[in-house]
Amino acid sequence: MKDIIQLHDRHFKVMITAEEIDRAVEAVAERLNADYADCDTPIFLGVLNGSFMFLSDLIKKIEFNNEITFVKLASYEGTSSTGAVKNLIGLNSSIEGRHIVIVEDIVDTGGSIQHMVELLKAQNPASVEVCTLFFKPASYSKQIPIKYRALEIGNEFIVGYGLDYDQLGRSLKDIYVVSE
Ligand code: 5GP
Ligand code: MG
């Protein structure tokens, strides 16, 4: 593990080690295993790109039958006066009557996740819960409950383990924070 790394113009230092991440993922998986033990085949919905590493580690610790799908919120130019709106892409089969667990890398203000939950609920799933690797409680300003949070952090900007700084840093196995 390198202590200080450079991505683009900034230097970053280790904040959370791979071992600490693994313990937090284990704890959240245990809660999911207890809560979904009696549910009929829940669908894990990974939000690309940031959640790929979290979901791949989490799912290996899941003990109930499940399906996995990846989705993405993509901007497109809407015709409304509010301008760009975000569209959910990648969901090609019906989720009506299904139990959905959204898997996110990080919930910050909550804007993205709130929008995604609204889009999904319009399709009448049996339930929708959010499972996020990181949660920023000081920044969160929405009402929807974020039931599963592996780790909580302050308002610092982090990279690694799927999270990027302008596309760099996703492959790092530890979490890094800006060092100056
Ligand atoms: P929200 O809509 O909750 O404010 O923002 C969520 C999105 O902002 C995340 O999916 C992520 O793309 C980005 N984001 C928020 N905080 C961080 C951070 O500390 N590091 C990185 N790499 N992305 C972040
Ligand atoms: Mg994200």
Side-chain angles (χ1 to χ4, degrees), residues 11 22 73 100:
H11 291 89
D22 186 62
L73 274 179
I100 305 295

Side-chain angles (χ1 to χ4, degrees), residues 114-152:
Q114 173 172 277
H115 185 58
M116 175 156 309
V117 168
E118 283 168 3
L119 292 172
L120 292 171
K121 284 197 167 163
Q123 299 187 40
N124 298 314
S127 67
V128 178
E129 296 293 352
V130 179
C131 177
T132 186
L133 177 61
F134 287 102
F135 183 65
K136 293 183 173 177
S139 177
Y140 189 67
S141 65
K142 304 297 181 198
Q143 299 304 315
I144 62 151
I146 309 298
K147 187 167 181 181
Y148 304 97
R149 314 159 179 188
L151 292 158
E152 296 197 358

